Every structure is written in structure tokens, then in C-alpha cells.
Amino acid sequence: MPFGEGWLFAAFPLEPRVTLQHEVRKDMVSPGAPPIISMRNVAKFFGPFQALTDINFSVRQGERVVICGPSGSGKSTLIRCLNRLEEHDEGTITIDGIELGDDTKDIRAVRQEVGMVFQQFNLFPHLTVLENLTIGPIRVRKMDKPAAEVLARTYLDRVRIPEQADKYPSQLSGGQQQRVAIARSLCMEPRIMLFDEPTSALDPEMISEVLDVMVELADSGMTMVCVTHEMGFARRVADTMVFMEAGRIVETTPPAQFFTNPKSKRARLFLDQILEH
Amino acid sequence: MPARSAKRLKRALSSRPVSVLIYLSVMAALIGASLKGAEAMGYNWQWYRIPQYFFEHTEGGVTLGEIPWGLVGTITLSTLAFVLALGIGLLVALLRLSDLIVGRAVARIFLEFVRNIPLLVLLYVFYYVLGPIFGMDRYTASVLCLAVFHGALMSEIFRGGITSIPAGQWEAAKSIGMTTGQIYTYIILPQSIRFMLPPMTSEVVNVIKSSAIVSVIAVVELTTVGRNIISDTYMSFEIWFTIAAVYMVVTLIISTFASYLERRYAVQD
């Protein structure tokens, strides 16, 4: 790690909830607590094509899950179901005690607690970096503007681009844009962060700056679900590896076992393919 | 070699002096033909009588004549109709893009209805049918008719502008918990203005041009003024040339302003 643990506390305001999250450590994921994310028998269809089949999956508070698998295996669909960017067709999804259904209020309540980072960043191009960060707190959390800006600058510091606050997204590099996108999600002070291939659209030299921020976030105790091909990152932060293929979860294992001795033949094949390069 | 000389010929033909020359000779031919035709039918040109319809010399000094007042009428009517049409257009576009089946159906029916009947018939419907039913005077009927007609056309501009924003913008805004209304207000519409500006300004020009149709129900505006003057003086050639020129000046000014706006917005990206 390029920065010490104390740095985090110094850069961070002492808000109760955030402080609580900081106190959760990797080895302190409470095993007895009810899961914060729970998917039961979830299925999802795109027309006749079944994208997800019988997904059973749960995440505990503070747990870091990395989902991997070949392309088209349903990783993105799964993660997008968690904040209802995709609607599941069968089964139940419960996030922090709220079951996802057609109730738009419930959906918005869940989305406020679940941050999402996209492959293509999806920053708002007509707003400055600072405005990208404050629009959620101001419009959704009804925070007043000065307080939202203080919050936004805190998180810009945290992703290490405080000097870019007044620029527009198009003036930033890909890595910087993705860090702004992470900060934008964090400004909503979510309890869970979802990452949908956050480094896949980046030039190679920019991947590590984004991963550094994600590692730091993981170390702070954030509950995270990441779809990524960055196996170094997975090895470093994951509590649980989920391997998917053809819309099913094939295996759920701790990383130590997943990388050395995966249970399924498919996972072994997949690892061989991506690790040999 | 022939390809090269063809290219050279093409370049020569599209050069500025040649274009101007071609333009001038076509115009001269047209004007010459009309003058000759007018002469053949024994038309008595009375251009000297035109200025009084722009400026009237009265005891109190110089005041605006009938044509400028007609122009004021046209601009007022068009502005009212355009503003109302913006509202109607946005509403119809949002209905068409909504999740509500009823909303989409209503928007679709409205659109097909308005788009497939001639403006003149629509005006008659508003004035002779809806007017008596709802107690509308002719001015209100004209404004509403133009607003509905152009609102339908503008709804397609709005829809195009809105759908040209990538889905990722919707997803990002949803993922921070925004409502659909907030997403439109703060994320989608501000970005789609760039796409909508060029067709919208040409729609302003269209509203001004189609506003002439209300002269058939005698609402005071530029074309009506022209008709009135002609029925007094029989100078139909001079007056229609003049009225056409006034419309052209106004719409050319708007187009110039529009292309300026377009360039400005294009640079900002």
C-alpha cells in the first residue's frame, strides 16, 4: 500500500456512520449477522435468452466479493440487478432489509445506499467535477450546497484529485474520470459499492491509480461487490471469489483456495487463460 | 487527365465569383421575365406608393405604418404560439417516452392526428368547431391551432434530442437515487439542448411562415395587412413582393442568429 492507515482517518470527517465503517476490518466481517445483500433463486431473461439462472448469493456487511468469469457469463447482469438497473424476473433480491420490487420509492431508497461505478465512467459531461459530485447530495439527499461541496472536496481528496474540482469530465484522463466517478458514488455515503468492470475501459497505465483507490476503499471496511478481471486486485482484497459461467454461479470460494486450487474445472481453465499472460 | 479537368471544372463552378455570377443571372432572368409579363398585361407599377405603408407622415411626426404593425402582429402571434408549442411538444415527447401505455397511446394518437391533416383544415377545426364550443375568439383559436400543429412537430425534435443521450447517463443518475423528473431536469434535458437547438430554430422560422395562414380568418398580422392594402389599392405585385421581402428579412435574421448559436454550442464540447 502506498499510503498508511492513518491517512484515511485524517482525510475523513468523523461522521458516525463512516467512522463505524472504518472500524470494521477485513477479519471482522461478522459471520452471524444477516446478509446485507441476498439473492434467492434469481433468474433474469432478455427475451428468450436466459441471462441468469438460479442465482443464490449473499454478502455480509463489510465483505468484499469479486465476481469473475468469461464474458457473457452474466456478471454484469447480476451486479446490475442489485440496484435494479436490470429487473430480475424470478426470485427475490433483498438489499439491507428492502426487497427489490416495483415500488419506486424502495428502489430509490436502495439506490441511495448502493453506489455504482461503471465501465464507461458515465460522468455527467455538462457538469464540472465538483457539480458531478454534489448533484446527488443536493438533489437526492437534500443537503445544502456549501455542505455538499465540503463533502465533495473531502472525497476528491480521497481519490487524490482535489485540484480537478472545477474542470469538466472531458478535460480529464480516463483514470481521473473513473476516480471522479468513484468519488461521486461515495458522496452519497453508500453502505455498499458495486463496481462493474471499472478498469476495463482504461489505458493500461491508468489502471493502477483506480485500483489503488479501490484497495483503499476496501481497507476502509466498505462492503464491495466488484466485477473485474484484475486478479491481482482480487487476490489483494477479496474475502470471497465468485466464478460465473453461462448465467450460473459455478463456485464461491475464498481467494486463497480459488487461485491455488479451484473446485471446478471451468474455473481452473478460466484462470489458466487469464493468468498465463 | 479527364478526371482532373472535371475536378478543376467543378472547383471553378463552385468558386465564389462564379456562384455569384450564376445567382445574379438567374435572378435577372426571373425578374426580367416577370417585368416583361407584367408589361404585357399592362400592369401599372406604383412602387412609389409603398413607403407610406412603412412610415406614415402625420401632424405628430413620423409614425409606423401598416406593414410594421402587421409584422408586430406576426411576431406576437408566432411568439405566443411557439412558447405554447414548446410546452406541448415537451409534454407529448415525455408521454411518448414514458412507461405508461396510456400516455404513449395518447401521444401517438395526437401526433398522427395533427400530422396528417393540413394546417388550413386544422385552423378551420379550431375556429369553426372548437371556437364556438369553448367560446374562443379568433385570436385564441389561431394561437392554439399554431401551437398544437407545431407542438406535434416539436415533440419529435424533443424526442430525438432526449433519445440521443446515451443510456449510461440514465444509469448513472438512477444509481445515485434520482427520480425520473430529476433525471430529466438536471441530466438529460440540459445535455439534449445542443441536439435540439438547430432543428428548433428552423421550427421558429416555420412557425413564422405558417402564421400567415391565420389571415384566412382575418387575424391581424403581416399577410392580413397585405391583403387589406391590396383590396384598397389593387397593387398586388408590389405589395406581395414587399410582404415576401419582409418575411425573408425576419427569417434570415433568425437563421443567422441560429447558426451563430450552433457554432457557440459546438465549441463548448
Side-chain angles (χ1 to χ4, degrees):
Chain A
M1 282 290 293
F3 29 82
E5 306 279 24
W7 184 87
L8 274 172
F9 288 90
F12 228 50
L14 291 174
E15 280 198 36
R17 213 177 71 198
V18 178
T19 315
L20 183 74
Q21 285 184 355
H22 278 245
E23 285 160 1
V24 179
R25 278 290 164 266
K26 188 166 180 170
D27 45 344
M28 284 176 65
V29 176
S30 43
I36 194 168
I37 298 174
S38 147
M39 297 177 98
R40 288 283 158 264
N41 308 318
V42 170
K44 164 76 188 166
F45 295 85
F46 291 110
F49 173 72
Q50 183 158 13
L52 295 177
T53 308
D54 195 28
I55 299 290
N56 286 287
F57 172 65
S58 63
V59 179
R60 287 159 295 146
Q61 167 91 51
E63 188 176 354
R64 281 134 308 191
V65 178
V66 169
I67 304 177
C68 63
S71 63
S73 59
K75 308 172 299 251
S76 285
T77 309
L78 188 153
I79 206 172
R80 287 160 60 85
C81 280
L82 295 178
N83 64 352
R84 211 169 170 80
L85 288 182
E86 302 289 355
E87 297 176 14
H88 59 288
D89 297 304
E90 290 166 21
T92 55
I93 300 178
T94 312
I95 309 288
D96 202 12
I98 303 173
E99 188 182 331
L100 285 175
D102 289 327
D103 188 316
T104 51
K105 269 213 178 105
D106 278 355
I107 294 171
R108 283 206 307 278
V110 165
R111 284 174 179 163
Q112 289 179 39
E113 299 303 324
V114 180
M116 184 155 195
V117 176
F118 300 88
Q119 183 177 351
Q120 299 294 341
F121 329 137
N122 296 347
L123 293 177
F124 306 129
H126 62 302
L127 302 179
T128 63
V129 166
L130 196 64
E131 288 166 338
N132 264 278
L133 266 58
T134 55
I135 192 162
I138 291 174
R139 301 297 171 190
V140 180
R141 293 254 191 244
K142 310 293 179 200
M143 198 180 270
D144 60 44
K145 203 178 161 193
E149 287 185 353
V150 170
L151 183 74
R153 289 189 191 279
T154 311
Y155 283 107
L156 275 184
D157 273 345
R158 204 176 169 193
V159 298
R160 273 162 282 146
I161 35 176
E163 71 285 359
Q164 311 287 7
D166 298 316
K167 288 197 178 163
Y168 283 89
S170 58
Q171 296 169 289
L172 304 184
S173 72
Q176 291 172 325
Q177 288 191 47
Q178 192 60 300
R179 285 186 281 152
V180 171
I182 293 172
R184 176 176 66 182
S185 292
L186 291 176
C187 274
M188 291 299 289
E189 312 218 282
R191 303 192 59 193
I192 303 167
M193 283 290 287
L194 308 177
F195 292 84
D196 187 1
E197 304 207 22
T199 56
S200 300
L202 294 174
D203 292 334
E205 74 272 22
M206 291 170 182
I207 290 177
S208 69
E209 65 189 58
V210 171
L211 289 181
D212 284 349
V213 168
M214 288 171 65
V215 166
E216 182 192 328
L217 191 64
D219 286 346
S220 78
M222 176 67 80
T223 308
M224 289 166 67
V225 180
C226 314
V227 171
T228 183
H229 296 296
E230 296 297 332
M231 289 301 133
F233 168 78
R235 222 191 281 256
R236 165 77 178 76
V237 305
D239 300 303
T240 308
M241 294 297 300
V242 171
F243 178 73
M244 290 185 73
E245 199 198 22
R248 294 174 187 272
I249 293 180
V250 177
E251 108 167 60
T252 308
T253 4
Q257 188 188 345
F258 183 77
F259 288 110
T260 52
N261 186 22
K263 284 184 268 186
S264 63
K265 211 175 144 195
R266 281 296 315 159
R268 193 167 305 149
L269 203 64
F270 174 75
L271 283 174
D272 284 347
Q273 277 167 346
I274 63 168
L275 292 180
E276 74 187 21
H277 299 294
Chain B
M1 272 304 133
R4 200 183 210 182
S5 59
K7 213 182 229 172
R8 201 175 294 159
L9 182 67
K10 210 170 166 187
R11 200 178 311 146
L13 279 177
S14 55
S15 73
R16 184 161 286 195
V18 176
S19 311
V20 169
L21 210 68
I22 293 173
Y23 175 77
L24 285 179
S25 46
V26 169
M27 288 312 282
L30 273 177
I31 292 170
S34 353
L35 286 179
K36 211 165 181 192
E39 202 181 86
M41 61 185 272
Y43 191 82
N44 177 25
W45 292 97
Q46 305 177 62
W47 281 108
Y48 66 92
R49 290 175 66 187
I50 294 299
Q52 60 169 319
Y53 297 111
F54 283 92
F55 301 103
E56 277 171 17
H57 296 273
T58 57
E59 286 163 25
V62 183
T63 56
L64 289 180
E66 281 182 67
I67 289 177
W69 280 118
L71 182 60
V72 169
T74 289
I75 289 171
T76 315
L77 183 69
S78 307
T79 309
L80 286 173
F82 184 77
V83 170
L84 218 57
L86 275 178
I88 294 173
L90 183 59
L91 187 73
V92 173
L94 292 181
L95 277 177
R96 265 199 88 174
L97 294 167
S98 74
D99 294 331
L100 306 165
I101 294 172
V102 183
R104 287 204 301 262
V106 166
R108 200 60 200 270
I109 291 167
F110 169 80
L111 207 62
E112 295 305 333
F113 180 76
V114 174
R115 264 202 308 211
N116 289 300
I117 57 175
L119 179 55
L120 184 58
V121 176
L122 193 68
L123 182 67
Y124 286 153
V125 170
F126 268 87
Y127 182 55
Y128 292 112
V129 181
L130 302 180
I133 295 176
F134 296 105
M136 282 189 289
D137 59 16
R138 61 185 70 211
Y139 196 76
T140 317
S142 312
V143 171
L144 286 181
C145 169
L146 288 171
V148 163
F149 186 77
H150 288 280
L153 302 178
M154 283 184 210
S155 79
E156 290 295 85
I157 298 175
F158 275 114
R159 196 168 67 104
I162 289 168
T163 51
S164 60
I165 303 301
Q169 292 290 306
W170 279 94
E171 293 179 353
K174 280 182 188 171
S175 77
I176 55 174
M178 288 183 140
T179 63
T180 306
Q182 288 174 328
I183 299 175
Y184 271 121
T185 314
Y186 303 116
I187 308 299
I188 304 299
L189 290 176
Q191 291 186 62
S192 43
I193 284 174
R194 276 164 21 96
F195 297 100
M196 300 188 303
L197 208 61
M200 272 305 173
T201 40
S202 73
E203 207 49 37
V204 173
V205 170
N206 285 342
V207 173
I208 290 173
K209 288 191 293 183
S210 57
S211 74
I213 204 151
V214 305
S215 63
V216 300
I217 59 170
V219 168
V220 179
E221 48 74 62
L222 195 51
T223 308
T224 314
V225 166
R227 281 163 59 126
N228 292 346
I229 297 174
I230 289 165
S231 64
D232 288 346
T233 62
Y234 300 103
M235 299 191 295
S236 41
F237 285 25
E238 295 90 332
I239 294 296
W240 286 134
F241 276 133
T242 309
I243 298 288
V246 173
Y247 274 115
M248 250 182 74
V249 168
V250 172
T251 53
L252 281 178
I253 288 171
I254 293 170
S255 307
T256 314
F257 181 63
S259 56
Y260 159 76
L261 275 184
E262 243 173 84
R263 257 177 287 130
R264 235 198 74 187
Y265 271 74
V267 172
Q268 258 190 359
D269 191 23

